[in-house]
Structure formats: structure tokens, C-alpha cells
Amino acid sequence: MFDMLVWDSEEDGTNAMHKLMTELSDSPVHDMIDQSTVSWNIAPVEHFVNL
């Protein structure tokens, strides 16, 4: 399964990931996730238009 979230910058994505893991750590949703199977990959996406 993949979830893809898009932010304006790599920094915004990294900050959101840390926020999710710290501020929502007591969420019932986190209890349903086997954290050992989670892999965070944050990468910039570049889009080029050749006219």
C-alpha cells in the first residue's frame, strides 16, 4: 500500500511527518499500524515543461 502526500517543499513534508508522529502518536489510527512496516520516503518532485 502506498500513500502519497504532496507539500510545497521537502521541508514542509518533513515537518508534517514529524508533527504526525509526535502530535498524533496517541491516535487510535496509530494503534492499527504496524510501525515496523512503515517506510518514510521524502523526496522533491520536479516538473519540467518543454515548449
Side-chain angles (χ1 to χ4, degrees):
M1 175 187 297
F2 292 92
D3 286 328
M4 181 179 275
L5 303 172
V6 180
W7 291 274
D8 289 331
S9 69
E10 189 174 351
E11 180 182 8
D12 288 347
T14 301
N15 290 338
M17 183 254 323
H18 288 297
K19 214 171 175 181
L20 173 69
M21 297 308 293
T22 56
E23 292 181 11
L24 299 176
S25 63
D26 60 348
S27 167
V29 173
H30 281 267
D31 291 338
M32 297 187 301
I33 299 171
D34 180 356
Q35 295 296 330
S36 68
T37 66
V38 175
S39 174
W40 289 94
N41 297 297
I42 298 174
V45 175
E46 297 179 14
H47 182 243
F48 296 95
V49 177
N50 188 4
L51 300 175

Short mmCIF file of all heavy atoms in Angstrom, two decimals:
data_model
loop_
_atom_site.label_atom_id
_atom_site.label_comp_id
_atom_site.label_asym_id
_atom_site.label_seq_id
_atom_site.Cartn_x
_atom_site.Cartn_y
_atom_site.Cartn_z
N MET A 1 0.85 -1.17 0.00
CA MET A 1 0.00 0.00 0.00
C MET A 1 0.90 1.23 0.00
O MET A 1 1.93 1.27 0.65
CB MET A 1 -0.89 0.00 1.24
CG MET A 1 -1.70 1.27 1.34
SD MET A 1 -2.65 1.48 2.86
CE MET A 1 -3.75 0.13 2.76
N PHE A 2 0.46 2.24 -0.71
CA PHE A 2 1.21 3.49 -0.77
C PHE A 2 0.27 4.64 -0.46
O PHE A 2 -0.87 4.65 -0.89
CB PHE A 2 1.78 3.74 -2.17
CG PHE A 2 2.85 2.78 -2.55
CD1 PHE A 2 2.54 1.61 -3.23
CD2 PHE A 2 4.16 3.05 -2.23
CE1 PHE A 2 3.53 0.73 -3.59
CE2 PHE A 2 5.16 2.17 -2.59
CZ PHE A 2 4.84 0.99 -3.27
N ASP A 3 0.77 5.58 0.27
CA ASP A 3 0.11 6.87 0.47
C ASP A 3 1.07 7.91 -0.07
O ASP A 3 2.26 7.88 0.23
CB ASP A 3 -0.16 7.18 1.95
CG ASP A 3 -1.30 6.35 2.51
OD1 ASP A 3 -2.23 6.03 1.75
OD2 ASP A 3 -1.24 6.03 3.70
N MET A 4 0.55 8.82 -0.85
CA MET A 4 1.39 9.90 -1.36
C MET A 4 0.78 11.22 -0.94
O MET A 4 -0.39 11.47 -1.19
CB MET A 4 1.49 9.84 -2.88
CG MET A 4 2.39 10.94 -3.44
SD MET A 4 2.54 10.88 -5.21
CE MET A 4 3.86 9.71 -5.35
N LEU A 5 1.57 12.00 -0.27
CA LEU A 5 1.15 13.33 0.16
C LEU A 5 2.08 14.33 -0.50
O LEU A 5 3.27 14.09 -0.64
CB LEU A 5 1.22 13.44 1.67
CG LEU A 5 0.40 12.39 2.42
CD1 LEU A 5 0.69 12.47 3.92
CD2 LEU A 5 -1.07 12.57 2.17
N VAL A 6 1.55 15.45 -0.90
CA VAL A 6 2.33 16.44 -1.63
C VAL A 6 2.30 17.76 -0.87
O VAL A 6 1.23 18.26 -0.52
CB VAL A 6 1.78 16.63 -3.06
CG1 VAL A 6 2.58 17.66 -3.81
CG2 VAL A 6 1.76 15.30 -3.80
N TRP A 7 3.49 18.30 -0.62
CA TRP A 7 3.63 19.59 0.04
C TRP A 7 4.34 20.55 -0.90
O TRP A 7 4.89 20.13 -1.92
CB TRP A 7 4.44 19.46 1.33
CG TRP A 7 3.72 18.72 2.41
CD1 TRP A 7 2.84 19.24 3.32
CD2 TRP A 7 3.81 17.33 2.70
NE1 TRP A 7 2.39 18.25 4.15
CE2 TRP A 7 2.96 17.05 3.79
CE3 TRP A 7 4.51 16.28 2.15
CZ2 TRP A 7 2.81 15.80 4.34
CZ3 TRP A 7 4.36 15.02 2.68
CH2 TRP A 7 3.52 14.80 3.77
N ASP A 8 4.41 21.79 -0.53
CA ASP A 8 5.09 22.80 -1.34
C ASP A 8 6.60 22.63 -1.36
O ASP A 8 7.27 23.06 -2.29
CB ASP A 8 4.74 24.22 -0.86
CG ASP A 8 3.31 24.60 -1.19
OD1 ASP A 8 2.77 24.10 -2.19
OD2 ASP A 8 2.75 25.42 -0.45
N SER A 9 7.14 22.00 -0.31
CA SER A 9 8.59 21.83 -0.27
C SER A 9 8.94 20.56 0.51
O SER A 9 8.12 20.02 1.26
CB SER A 9 9.25 23.04 0.42
OG SER A 9 8.93 23.05 1.81
N GLU A 10 10.17 20.11 0.33
CA GLU A 10 10.66 18.95 1.08
C GLU A 10 10.67 19.25 2.58
O GLU A 10 10.34 18.39 3.40
CB GLU A 10 12.06 18.61 0.58
CG GLU A 10 12.61 17.31 1.10
CD GLU A 10 13.94 16.94 0.47
OE1 GLU A 10 14.37 17.61 -0.50
OE2 GLU A 10 14.57 16.00 0.96
N GLU A 11 10.99 20.49 2.93
CA GLU A 11 10.99 20.90 4.34
C GLU A 11 9.59 20.81 4.93
O GLU A 11 9.41 20.32 6.05
CB GLU A 11 11.54 22.32 4.48
CG GLU A 11 11.57 22.81 5.92
CD GLU A 11 12.07 24.24 6.05
OE1 GLU A 11 12.25 24.93 5.03
OE2 GLU A 11 12.26 24.67 7.20
N ASP A 12 8.58 21.27 4.19
CA ASP A 12 7.20 21.19 4.67
C ASP A 12 6.78 19.73 4.87
O ASP A 12 6.11 19.39 5.85
CB ASP A 12 6.24 21.86 3.69
CG ASP A 12 6.34 23.37 3.68
OD1 ASP A 12 6.96 23.94 4.60
OD2 ASP A 12 5.78 23.98 2.75
N GLY A 13 7.18 18.86 3.96
CA GLY A 13 6.86 17.44 4.09
C GLY A 13 7.51 16.81 5.30
O GLY A 13 6.89 16.04 6.04
N THR A 14 8.76 17.14 5.52
CA THR A 14 9.49 16.61 6.68
C THR A 14 8.86 17.12 7.98
O THR A 14 8.66 16.34 8.93
CB THR A 14 10.98 17.02 6.61
OG1 THR A 14 11.52 16.50 5.39
CG2 THR A 14 11.76 16.49 7.79
N ASN A 15 8.52 18.39 8.04
CA ASN A 15 7.89 18.94 9.24
C ASN A 15 6.54 18.28 9.50
O ASN A 15 6.20 17.97 10.65
CB ASN A 15 7.70 20.46 9.10
CG ASN A 15 9.02 21.21 9.16
OD1 ASN A 15 10.00 20.71 9.68
ND2 ASN A 15 9.04 22.40 8.59
N ALA A 16 5.77 18.04 8.45
CA ALA A 16 4.47 17.39 8.60
C ALA A 16 4.61 15.96 9.12
O ALA A 16 3.85 15.51 9.97
CB ALA A 16 3.71 17.41 7.28
N MET A 17 5.61 15.25 8.62
CA MET A 17 5.85 13.89 9.08
C MET A 17 6.19 13.86 10.57
O MET A 17 5.64 13.07 11.33
CB MET A 17 7.00 13.27 8.27
CG MET A 17 7.29 11.83 8.61
SD MET A 17 8.79 11.45 9.57
CE MET A 17 10.02 12.55 9.02
N HIS A 18 7.07 14.77 11.00
CA HIS A 18 7.42 14.82 12.43
C HIS A 18 6.21 15.19 13.28
O HIS A 18 6.01 14.63 14.36
CB HIS A 18 8.56 15.82 12.67
CG HIS A 18 9.87 15.32 12.17
ND1 HIS A 18 10.51 14.21 12.66
CD2 HIS A 18 10.67 15.80 11.18
CE1 HIS A 18 11.64 14.01 12.03
NE2 HIS A 18 11.77 14.97 11.11
N LYS A 19 5.40 16.10 12.79
CA LYS A 19 4.20 16.51 13.51
C LYS A 19 3.22 15.33 13.66
O LYS A 19 2.66 15.09 14.72
CB LYS A 19 3.53 17.65 12.73
CG LYS A 19 2.86 18.67 13.54
CD LYS A 19 2.44 19.82 12.64
CE LYS A 19 1.65 20.80 13.44
NZ LYS A 19 1.17 21.92 12.68
N LEU A 20 3.06 14.60 12.57
CA LEU A 20 2.17 13.44 12.59
C LEU A 20 2.61 12.43 13.63
O LEU A 20 1.79 11.89 14.39
CB LEU A 20 2.14 12.79 11.20
CG LEU A 20 1.38 11.49 11.08
CD1 LEU A 20 -0.12 11.73 11.24
CD2 LEU A 20 1.66 10.82 9.76
N MET A 21 3.91 12.17 13.69
CA MET A 21 4.41 11.15 14.60
C MET A 21 4.43 11.61 16.05
O MET A 21 4.35 10.78 16.95
CB MET A 21 5.82 10.71 14.16
CG MET A 21 5.84 10.05 12.79
SD MET A 21 4.65 8.68 12.61
CE MET A 21 5.35 7.50 13.74
N THR A 22 4.53 12.90 16.31
CA THR A 22 4.60 13.36 17.69
C THR A 22 3.23 13.81 18.21
O THR A 22 2.80 13.36 19.27
CB THR A 22 5.61 14.50 17.85
OG1 THR A 22 5.28 15.56 16.96
CG2 THR A 22 7.02 14.03 17.57
N GLU A 23 2.55 14.67 17.48
CA GLU A 23 1.30 15.23 17.98
C GLU A 23 0.14 14.24 17.93
O GLU A 23 -0.80 14.36 18.71
CB GLU A 23 0.93 16.49 17.19
CG GLU A 23 1.87 17.64 17.44
CD GLU A 23 1.49 18.89 16.68
OE1 GLU A 23 0.40 18.95 16.11
OE2 GLU A 23 2.33 19.82 16.64
N LEU A 24 0.20 13.29 17.03
CA LEU A 24 -0.90 12.34 16.90
C LEU A 24 -0.52 10.93 17.34
O LEU A 24 -1.19 9.97 17.00
CB LEU A 24 -1.40 12.31 15.44
CG LEU A 24 -1.95 13.63 14.91
CD1 LEU A 24 -2.31 13.50 13.45
CD2 LEU A 24 -3.16 14.07 15.71
N SER A 25 0.55 10.82 18.10
CA SER A 25 1.05 9.49 18.49
C SER A 25 0.07 8.70 19.33
O SER A 25 0.11 7.47 19.34
CB SER A 25 2.38 9.62 19.22
OG SER A 25 2.21 10.34 20.42
N ASP A 26 -0.86 9.37 20.02
CA ASP A 26 -1.84 8.65 20.83
C ASP A 26 -3.16 8.42 20.08
O ASP A 26 -4.15 7.98 20.66
CB ASP A 26 -2.09 9.38 22.15
CG ASP A 26 -2.64 10.79 21.95
OD1 ASP A 26 -2.62 11.29 20.80
OD2 ASP A 26 -3.07 11.39 22.94
N SER A 27 -3.16 8.67 18.79
CA SER A 27 -4.35 8.48 17.97
C SER A 27 -4.67 6.99 17.82
O SER A 27 -3.76 6.16 17.68
CB SER A 27 -4.13 9.09 16.58
OG SER A 27 -5.13 8.66 15.69
N PRO A 28 -5.94 6.62 17.85
CA PRO A 28 -6.32 5.21 17.64
C PRO A 28 -5.84 4.67 16.29
O PRO A 28 -5.58 3.48 16.16
CB PRO A 28 -7.85 5.22 17.69
CG PRO A 28 -8.21 6.48 18.39
CD PRO A 28 -7.10 7.44 18.13
N VAL A 29 -5.69 5.55 15.31
CA VAL A 29 -5.21 5.12 13.99
C VAL A 29 -3.80 4.56 14.10
O VAL A 29 -3.46 3.56 13.49
CB VAL A 29 -5.27 6.28 12.98
CG1 VAL A 29 -4.62 5.91 11.67
CG2 VAL A 29 -6.70 6.73 12.77
N HIS A 30 -2.95 5.20 14.90
CA HIS A 30 -1.58 4.73 15.06
C HIS A 30 -1.53 3.33 15.67
O HIS A 30 -0.64 2.55 15.36
CB HIS A 30 -0.76 5.71 15.91
CG HIS A 30 -0.29 6.91 15.14
ND1 HIS A 30 0.92 6.95 14.52
CD2 HIS A 30 -0.89 8.09 14.88
CE1 HIS A 30 1.07 8.11 13.91
NE2 HIS A 30 -0.03 8.82 14.12
N ASP A 31 -2.48 3.01 16.51
CA ASP A 31 -2.53 1.67 17.12
C ASP A 31 -2.82 0.58 16.09
O ASP A 31 -2.48 -0.58 16.29
CB ASP A 31 -3.59 1.62 18.22
CG ASP A 31 -3.23 2.45 19.44
OD1 ASP A 31 -2.02 2.73 19.62
OD2 ASP A 31 -4.14 2.82 20.20
N MET A 32 -3.44 0.94 14.99
CA MET A 32 -3.79 -0.04 13.96
C MET A 32 -2.66 -0.24 12.94
O MET A 32 -2.75 -1.11 12.09
CB MET A 32 -5.06 0.39 13.22
CG MET A 32 -6.27 0.46 14.13
SD MET A 32 -7.82 0.77 13.27
CE MET A 32 -7.53 2.34 12.48
N ILE A 33 -1.59 0.54 13.03
CA ILE A 33 -0.50 0.47 12.07
C ILE A 33 0.69 -0.25 12.70
O ILE A 33 1.12 0.09 13.79
CB ILE A 33 -0.07 1.89 11.64
CG1 ILE A 33 -1.24 2.62 10.97
CG2 ILE A 33 1.15 1.83 10.73
CD1 ILE A 33 -0.98 4.09 10.72
N ASP A 34 1.17 -1.25 11.99
CA ASP A 34 2.39 -1.93 12.42
C ASP A 34 3.56 -1.03 12.01
O ASP A 34 4.00 -1.04 10.85
CB ASP A 34 2.50 -3.30 11.76
CG ASP A 34 3.75 -4.05 12.17
OD1 ASP A 34 4.59 -3.50 12.91
OD2 ASP A 34 3.89 -5.21 11.73
N GLN A 35 4.06 -0.23 12.94
CA GLN A 35 5.08 0.78 12.63
C GLN A 35 6.36 0.17 12.07
O GLN A 35 7.10 0.85 11.36
CB GLN A 35 5.38 1.63 13.87
CG GLN A 35 4.22 2.47 14.34
CD GLN A 35 3.79 3.53 13.33
OE1 GLN A 35 4.59 4.04 12.56
NE2 GLN A 35 2.51 3.86 13.33
N SER A 36 6.61 -1.10 12.35
CA SER A 36 7.82 -1.73 11.82
C SER A 36 7.74 -1.94 10.31
O SER A 36 8.74 -2.21 9.66
CB SER A 36 8.09 -3.07 12.52
OG SER A 36 7.09 -4.01 12.15
N THR A 37 6.54 -1.79 9.74
CA THR A 37 6.38 -1.95 8.29
C THR A 37 6.31 -0.61 7.57
O THR A 37 6.18 -0.58 6.35
CB THR A 37 5.10 -2.73 7.96
OG1 THR A 37 3.95 -1.97 8.36
CG2 THR A 37 5.08 -4.08 8.68
N VAL A 38 6.41 0.48 8.30
CA VAL A 38 6.29 1.80 7.71
C VAL A 38 7.66 2.30 7.25
O VAL A 38 8.64 2.22 7.98
CB VAL A 38 5.68 2.82 8.71
CG1 VAL A 38 5.66 4.21 8.13
CG2 VAL A 38 4.27 2.37 9.09
N SER A 39 7.70 2.81 6.04
CA SER A 39 8.92 3.39 5.49
C SER A 39 8.60 4.80 5.01
O SER A 39 7.74 4.97 4.15
CB SER A 39 9.43 2.54 4.33
OG SER A 39 10.53 3.17 3.70
N TRP A 40 9.26 5.79 5.59
CA TRP A 40 9.05 7.18 5.18
C TRP A 40 10.07 7.53 4.11
O TRP A 40 11.27 7.35 4.30
CB TRP A 40 9.26 8.13 6.36
CG TRP A 40 8.20 8.06 7.39
CD1 TRP A 40 8.22 7.29 8.52
CD2 TRP A 40 6.96 8.76 7.41
NE1 TRP A 40 7.07 7.49 9.23
CE2 TRP A 40 6.27 8.40 8.57
CE3 TRP A 40 6.37 9.69 6.54
CZ2 TRP A 40 5.04 8.91 8.90
CZ3 TRP A 40 5.13 10.19 6.88
CH2 TRP A 40 4.48 9.81 8.04
N ASN A 41 9.60 8.00 3.00
CA ASN A 41 10.48 8.47 1.93
C ASN A 41 9.99 9.86 1.54
O ASN A 41 8.87 10.02 1.07
CB ASN A 41 10.43 7.54 0.72
CG ASN A 41 10.93 6.16 1.06
OD1 ASN A 41 12.09 6.01 1.41
ND2 ASN A 41 10.07 5.17 1.00
N ILE A 42 10.85 10.83 1.77
CA ILE A 42 10.50 12.21 1.43
C ILE A 42 11.49 12.67 0.37
O ILE A 42 12.70 12.62 0.58
CB ILE A 42 10.55 13.12 2.67
CG1 ILE A 42 9.52 12.63 3.69
CG2 ILE A 42 10.32 14.57 2.28
CD1 ILE A 42 9.58 13.34 5.01
N ALA A 43 10.96 13.08 -0.76
CA ALA A 43 11.82 13.47 -1.87
C ALA A 43 11.19 14.61 -2.64
O ALA A 43 9.97 14.68 -2.77
CB ALA A 43 12.05 12.29 -2.79
N PRO A 44 12.03 15.50 -3.16
CA PRO A 44 11.49 16.57 -4.01
C PRO A 44 11.01 16.00 -5.34
O PRO A 44 11.58 15.04 -5.85
CB PRO A 44 12.67 17.51 -4.20
CG PRO A 44 13.87 16.66 -3.98
CD PRO A 44 13.46 15.59 -3.01
N VAL A 45 9.98 16.59 -5.87
CA VAL A 45 9.47 16.21 -7.18
C VAL A 45 9.60 17.43 -8.08
O VAL A 45 9.16 18.51 -7.73
CB VAL A 45 7.99 15.76 -7.10
CG1 VAL A 45 7.44 15.49 -8.49
CG2 VAL A 45 7.85 14.55 -6.20
N GLU A 46 10.24 17.23 -9.20
CA GLU A 46 10.44 18.34 -10.12
C GLU A 46 9.65 18.09 -11.40
O GLU A 46 9.53 16.95 -11.85
CB GLU A 46 11.93 18.49 -10.44
CG GLU A 46 12.74 18.82 -9.20
CD GLU A 46 14.22 18.96 -9.46
OE1 GLU A 46 14.61 19.05 -10.64
OE2 GLU A 46 14.98 18.96 -8.49
N HIS A 47 9.10 19.15 -11.93
CA HIS A 47 8.29 19.05 -13.14
C HIS A 47 8.85 20.02 -14.17
O HIS A 47 9.03 21.19 -13.87
CB HIS A 47 6.84 19.40 -12.80
CG HIS A 47 5.93 19.27 -13.97
ND1 HIS A 47 5.25 20.35 -14.47
CD2 HIS A 47 5.58 18.21 -14.71
CE1 HIS A 47 4.53 19.96 -15.49
NE2 HIS A 47 4.70 18.66 -15.66
N PHE A 48 9.14 19.51 -15.31
CA PHE A 48 9.69 20.33 -16.38
C PHE A 48 8.72 20.40 -17.54
O PHE A 48 8.09 19.40 -17.89
CB PHE A 48 11.03 19.76 -16.89
CG PHE A 48 12.10 19.75 -15.85
CD1 PHE A 48 12.34 18.62 -15.09
CD2 PHE A 48 12.87 20.87 -15.62
CE1 PHE A 48 13.33 18.60 -14.12
CE2 PHE A 48 13.87 20.87 -14.65
CZ PHE A 48 14.10 19.73 -13.92
N VAL A 49 8.59 21.54 -18.12
CA VAL A 49 7.76 21.73 -19.31
C VAL A 49 8.67 22.19 -20.43
O VAL A 49 9.36 23.20 -20.31
CB VAL A 49 6.63 22.75 -19.06
CG1 VAL A 49 5.84 22.98 -20.33
CG2 VAL A 49 5.74 22.30 -17.92
N ASN A 50 8.67 21.44 -21.50
CA ASN A 50 9.50 21.78 -22.66
C ASN A 50 8.57 22.29 -23.76
O ASN A 50 7.82 21.52 -24.34
CB ASN A 50 10.28 20.56 -23.12
CG ASN A 50 11.29 20.89 -24.18
OD1 ASN A 50 11.48 22.05 -24.53
ND2 ASN A 50 11.95 19.88 -24.69
N LEU A 51 8.61 23.59 -24.01
CA LEU A 51 7.71 24.17 -25.01
C LEU A 51 8.39 24.31 -26.35
O LEU A 51 9.44 24.62 -26.59
CB LEU A 51 7.20 25.53 -24.54
CG LEU A 51 6.41 25.48 -23.24
CD1 LEU A 51 6.05 26.89 -22.81
CD2 LEU A 51 5.13 24.67 -23.43
#
